Amino acid sequence: MSADPSMSGDFTRMLDATMAALRTVGPPPADEPETPAVGEAADGQVRAEMGRDGKLHALHVEPRLMRLGSEELTAHIVSAVNAAIDRLRTGENPQVADMSQLREQLQEVRDTAVPRLGSFLDALTEAQERMARGGQR
């Protein structure tokens, strides 16, 4: 009995693609430098820096803005933070994973690889039964 080589190649390709999608969900590699996503408001006088983990890492407010009323100041802060979050999601390397891609790849594995593995296991079972009968067909 010989396994269809395209079967293992397809399965490997699908698993590789799925693993790549899963890496986008996990934390960045330790050796990769952290590049914060920056959002600004009030003509750059308020600056928010978001890490890849989605947490606010730094908030800079020009001292002159402290003279503003609390509502106006907090509105600028909220704008800067939201701009940084948007950059995380839509930047060159979005930091928020696209789960639809992962769902599609897992669906492909389920729909394609699982039936092929079932066929492979059926062939193994059949070969085992033939061997148990003394090699007869």
Side-chain angles (χ1 to χ4, degrees):
M1 177 191 79
S2 65
D4 180 1
S6 69
M7 219 157 114
S8 65
D10 288 347
F11 187 66
T12 300
R13 178 188 56 78
M14 286 184 283
L15 284 178
D16 287 346
T18 303
M19 292 303 293
L22 285 172
R23 279 191 291 279
T24 67
V25 177
D31 60 342
E32 193 174 313
E34 174 83 14
T35 305
V38 177
E40 295 182 343
D43 297 323
Q45 295 180 74
V46 178
R47 182 177 173 189
E49 295 180 9
M50 302 291 291
R52 290 180 193 192
D53 56 4
K55 294 181 180 179
L56 182 63
H57 285 205
L59 179 64
H60 306 282
V61 179
E62 287 290 323
R64 293 180 296 203
L65 288 182
M66 298 300 185
R67 295 183 207 135
L68 296 176
S70 61
E71 286 183 30
E72 189 176 356
L73 178 59
T74 56
H76 289 307
I77 291 171
V78 168
S79 294
V81 170
N82 284 335
I85 291 170
D86 289 344
R87 290 240 164 97
L88 277 177
R89 292 181 177 155
T90 61
E92 243 176 66
N93 298 312
Q95 303 302 318
V96 177
D98 180 4
M99 296 305 284
S100 64
Q101 178 187 8
L102 180 59
R103 278 192 298 276
E104 288 172 15
Q105 289 170 344
L106 290 173
Q107 180 79 31
E108 184 180 354
V109 167
R110 189 187 77 194
D111 293 346
T112 306
V114 172
R116 285 185 174 199
L117 283 175
S119 297
F120 179 72
L121 290 174
D122 289 345
L124 283 176
T125 302
E126 183 181 317
Q128 183 180 16
E129 289 171 357
R130 279 197 311 256
M131 288 173 53
R133 291 191 305 257
Q136 302 171 2
R137 285 196 164 222

